Each structure stands twice: as structure tokens, then as C-alpha cells.
Amino acid sequence: MLAELSEWFWQERLWFPKGLGWADLVDRDGRVYAKANDLWVALPIALVFLIVRQIFERTVATPLASLLGVKETVRLKAPHNPTLECYYCNISKTPSQSSIASLCKQTGSSERQIQRWFRRRRNQDRPSLLKKFREASWRFTFYLLAFIAGLASLIDKPWLYDVKQMWEGFPVMTLLPSQYWYYMIELGFYGSLLFSVASDVKRKDFKEQIVHHVATILLISFSWCVNYIRAGTLIMLVHDSSDYFLESAKMFNYAGWRNACNYIFIIFAAVFIVTRLIIFPFWIIYCTWVYPVTIYKPFFGYYFFNGLLMTLQCLHIFWAILIIRIAIRFLTSNEKVDDERSDKDETDESEEEEEEAKDKKHSRKNGPMQNGHTVHNNNHRKTE
């Protein structure tokens, strides 16, 4: 059964144009080609990334956060209440008005106390500012180093300047050591992101992030197996070129450096739009979608590869809309740049309640209050 499935999966007509096959990628005459078995190397690399990340966040990111003045918000904890905790974990984190009324009867608490408990409980589950900073600094470090390494490995390659040369001699293209490590490190990193997704900061585009990670892993793996390596290196370089700007903007945002965050975000928005909405679709996808059919007839691998690229492009458009919306708001009204995907803390009413208590205390001492001022009683009867 497994042998038949493997034979069907690796059949040449699915992976190669007519007239080409796996025999063309057998090492010979000192020429080395990419092999599917090489992809297993990415698994230990992903585990190494997870370990290195933990060390980095403790020894580098945390001291850096302290140096930049990242301040944690003091959160009031919700008091222990088994009934409310059971409802929160098993039914809903945001109860309806009817549910609140029912919980009031069960716990003997007022409606306002129930609302306050759920608000504080939701805040407890939100990631801390330090956690966000650590995650952003780790990704910033990787994306910056990956971009520099990718640029160094491609700077002397002709297909960086003439993208049509990515198909020169396809599929008989020798694998270079720099390409091997560039691929394995990128694949290992995205594998580590997929492994840690459950513990990472969850944003509103969580599902889109999962789709992005899976599509990226499939794209890297498929392009490796069928020797689309030149195209793959260009795609990875384009994606790494803007991500480190975003992560650095997040770091300054968490540190409260408003101007630095805003202006770095504008740079990120410009680079993102140029690389993801212009270079990626009109240079790279054009050269993988239109140009190859002038060389060979379309096949399943051709459609599969370009389908993954189009999936990424749809995600680029989705994120570009969010980015442009934030950038316009900043440029037109000079508002603080905020990540619309982030789940922000809910304001606690404890301060408001303290003010009300002070007002009540003041009213008992000085008489009734109206709009914050003492109301004088002019209706008492004079004693004769």
C-alpha cells in the first residue's frame, strides 16, 4: 500500500515537464543536485532554532528590553471563582447579557462585578509586553541575518539581475553549497515557527499566519525537490527584505519609542509594497507563470508551484491593505502606529471606581454633589 502510494506520488509526469525525469538529477561528473531526502535535515535545524530562541530571549532579548525601557503593564488578577472560571474555559470568554444575569444568580455577585471579573480574566490570558518584545527581537534578528546571508549568496548570480536565467538549463542545474544552507536554514526556521505557533503571540490574522507558514514550507520543499532552487532563493530574498523592518518597528513600539516606531513602519510599508506587490508578482511570478510555457508544456508541478505563489500573493494583498490603512492614518493625523492585528488589553474600571468612592466620601463630608460641585440647600426654613 505504502509502496504503491509512494510510486504514484513520485511519478515523473507530476513533477517534471514531458521528456524530463529523476534520471536527469542523478549526481554525475562532479555535478550535485538537490534530493528529497535532504529535506529531513530541516527537522533537527528547526529543533536547534527552538533551543537557540529560548537562549536568545533570556540572554539577549530580556536585557535589551530593559535597556530600551520596555515597561510591563500591571494587570489586576481576577479573584478565584470556580463558577466563572468554568464558564470562561468551557463556554465563552465574553458572556452575553442573559448569561451575565444567570451568573449573577449563581454567584451572588452584581452585574458589574461579573463584567469586571471577565475583563480581568481576559487580560490575564493576553501576552505580556515583554513576551511580545522577545518574540519581535528574535524574528528581527533572524530576518536581518537571513536577508544579509541571502543577498551575499546571490549577489554574484546572474539570475538576480535577469530573472529569466533562473530557468537556464532547467532542470540540470548544479546545487551550490550556499544554496543548500540557505534553503535548509529557511526551511528549519519556518518549521520552528510552525512548532511554536501554539505558544507564540496570537493576533487577529492567526489563521492567515498558519496558511502562510504552511504554504512557505510546501513551496520551499517542492522547489527543492524539482530543482526550482534559483526561483526559490529569489522568493526567499524578496520576503526577507522587509520583515526585519516590521519587527524592529514592533520592538520600538513596545519600548514606547513612538517616533522611531512610526518612521521605521513607514519604511517597512514602502519596502513591503515595492517587494511584495510589484517585484514579486510582476517579476518573479511572471517569470514562473508566463516564461516557462515558452520552454516546455505545462504540467502538474507547474500549476502546483504557481498556485502556492498565488496563495502567498493573496496574503500579501491582505496584509498590504492593513499596512496602508495604518500608514494613511499616521500620515494624515499623525496618530501612533498600532498593529491592528494585536489584541489589546481592556481598560479596567478600578480607577473609575476609586474616583467614585472618593466622590461619595467627599459628598458625605461636604454635602451632595452635582457635576463635581457642592449643591447648597437653599430650601430650609428659617427659625423665627
Side-chain angles (χ1 to χ4, degrees), residues 348-360:
D348 196 271
E349 294 180 351
S350 57
E351 294 181 1
E352 179 186 333
E353 290 163 2
E354 289 177 6
E355 290 297 325
E356 289 180 359
K358 289 179 182 177
D359 289 343
K360 290 178 181 178

Side-chain angles (χ1 to χ4, degrees), residues 318-334:
F318 169 78
W319 284 318
I321 293 172
L322 297 180
I323 292 167
I324 292 172
R325 187 185 302 164
I326 297 171
I328 290 175
R329 189 167 65 238
F330 163 67
L331 293 174
T332 56
S333 59
N334 197 31

Side-chain angles (χ1 to χ4, degrees), residues 53-54 56-75 123 126-139 199-201 203 247 250-256 345:
R53 175 178 176 176
Q54 295 300 316
F56 175 89
E57 290 185 353
R58 286 175 170 80
T59 60
V60 178
T62 301
L64 181 60
S66 178
L67 184 65
L68 293 178
V70 176
K71 297 179 180 179
E72 284 286 16
T73 303
V74 178
R75 293 172 176 170
N123 281 340
R126 290 187 173 94
S128 66
L129 206 60
L130 181 59
K131 177 178 174 62
K132 292 180 179 179
F133 183 89
R134 286 174 172 177
E135 182 178 313
S137 60
W138 164 247
R139 296 193 184 199
S199 59
D200 285 345
V201 176
R203 294 181 169 85
E247 300 303 331
K250 289 180 184 178
M251 292 167 64
F252 285 115
N253 181 37
Y254 301 145
D345 282 9

Side-chain angles (χ1 to χ4, degrees), residues 237-254:
L237 182 68
V238 165
H239 281 73
D240 291 336
S241 61
S242 63
D243 287 340
Y244 61 90
F245 284 115
L246 176 62
E247 300 303 331
S248 61
K250 289 180 184 178
M251 292 167 64
F252 285 115
N253 181 37
Y254 301 145

Side-chain angles (χ1 to χ4, degrees), residues 4-22 25 170 222-223 225-228 296-306 308:
E4 292 177 358
L5 182 61
S6 177
E7 184 180 350
W8 174 86
F9 182 79
W10 294 108
Q11 56 184 314
E12 293 178 344
R13 68 184 183 87
L14 295 178
W15 296 80
F16 294 98
K18 187 176 181 179
L20 298 171
W22 299 112
L25 299 182
F170 174 83
F222 180 81
S223 63
C225 292
V226 294
N227 221 11
Y228 285 7
Y296 50 77
K297 292 183 178 181
F299 60 105
F300 173 79
Y302 162 84
Y303 292 115
F304 182 74
F305 183 72
N306 284 286
L308 291 174

Side-chain angles (χ1 to χ4, degrees), residues 62-95:
T62 301
L64 181 60
S66 178
L67 184 65
L68 293 178
V70 176
K71 297 179 180 179
E72 284 286 16
T73 303
V74 178
R75 293 172 176 170
L76 298 174
K77 290 186 177 182
H80 179 66
N81 189 310
T83 302
L84 298 182
E85 185 69 25
C86 180
Y87 186 95
Y88 180 88
C89 295
N90 300 320
I91 301 176
S92 174
K93 296 181 179 181
T94 52

Side-chain angles (χ1 to χ4, degrees), residues 9-300:
F9 182 79
W10 294 108
Q11 56 184 314
E12 293 178 344
R13 68 184 183 87
L14 295 178
W15 296 80
F16 294 98
K18 187 176 181 179
L20 298 171
W22 299 112
D24 296 297
L25 299 182
V26 175
D27 297 347
R28 63 170 69 89
D29 301 327
R31 298 168 68 92
V32 179
Y33 302 100
K35 301 174 184 61
N37 290 336
D38 296 335
L39 297 176
W40 290 109
V41 176
L43 284 178
I45 292 177
L47 295 176
V48 170
F49 269 125
L50 292 175
I51 297 171
V52 171
R53 175 178 176 176
Q54 295 300 316
I55 298 172
F56 175 89
E57 290 185 353
R58 286 175 170 80
T59 60
V60 178
T62 301
L64 181 60
S66 178
L67 184 65
L68 293 178
V70 176
K71 297 179 180 179
E72 284 286 16
T73 303
V74 178
R75 293 172 176 170
L76 298 174
K77 290 186 177 182
H80 179 66
N81 189 310
T83 302
L84 298 182
E85 185 69 25
C86 180
Y87 186 95
Y88 180 88
C89 295
N90 300 320
I91 301 176
S92 174
K93 296 181 179 181
T94 52
S96 62
Q97 193 63 36
S98 59
S99 298
I100 291 176
S102 174
L103 291 170
C104 288
K105 294 178 181 179
Q106 295 178 46
T107 60
S109 303
S110 67
E111 180 178 318
R112 191 168 185 174
Q113 288 174 324
I114 297 294
Q115 292 172 338
R116 186 191 311 130
W117 188 94
F118 275 93
R119 184 167 51 252
R120 291 180 179 178
R121 185 64 181 82
R122 286 192 295 267
N123 281 340
Q124 282 180 224
D125 281 352
R126 290 187 173 94
S128 66
L129 206 60
L130 181 59
K131 177 178 174 62
K132 292 180 179 179
F133 183 89
R134 286 174 172 177
E135 182 178 313
S137 60
W138 164 247
R139 296 193 184 199
F140 164 77
T141 302
F142 175 82
Y143 289 137
L144 179 60
L145 294 178
F147 175 70
I148 295 172
L151 190 61
S153 66
L154 289 171
I155 197 69
D156 59 341
K157 305 301 186 295
W159 56 88
L160 177 63
Y161 310 98
D162 181 9
V163 289
K164 288 184 178 180
Q165 292 199 35
M166 72 171 71
W167 302 112
E168 188 72 27
F170 174 83
V172 187
M173 296 182 290
T174 304
L175 176 65
L176 304 175
S178 59
Q179 293 173 328
Y180 175 86
W181 287 110
Y182 190 24
Y183 253 78
M184 292 303 113
I185 289 173
E186 286 275 355
L187 185 59
F189 177 74
Y190 281 102
S192 70
L193 290 183
L194 202 58
F195 292 152
S196 64
V197 71
S199 59
D200 285 345
V201 176
K202 291 182 176 61
R203 294 181 169 85
K204 294 177 182 178
D205 63 345
F206 176 74
K207 294 179 180 178
E208 289 81 2
Q209 288 284 356
I210 295 292
V211 172
H212 176 268
H213 295 341
V214 172
T216 301
I217 290 172
L218 288 175
L219 185 62
I220 294 174
S221 302
F222 180 81
S223 63
W224 177 266
C225 292
V226 294
N227 221 11
Y228 285 7
I229 293 176
R230 292 180 182 178
T233 53
L234 290 177
I235 293 167
M236 291 188 292
L237 182 68
V238 165
H239 281 73
D240 291 336
S241 61
S242 63
D243 287 340
Y244 61 90
F245 284 115
L246 176 62
E247 300 303 331
S248 61
K250 289 180 184 178
M251 292 167 64
F252 285 115
N253 181 37
Y254 301 145
W257 294 32
R258 176 178 176 181
N259 290 334
C261 167
N262 290 349
Y263 292 115
I264 291 176
F265 183 84
I266 295 302
I267 296 173
F268 158 73
V271 175
F272 184 95
I273 290 170
V274 171
T275 56
R276 307 287 183 95
L277 300 186
I278 298 176
I279 294 177
F280 185 68
F282 295 107
W283 267 267
I284 295 180
I285 293 184
Y286 177 85
C287 207
T288 60
W289 189 276
V290 177
Y291 184 69
V293 296
T294 64
I295 305 173
Y296 50 77
K297 292 183 178 181
F299 60 105
F300 173 79

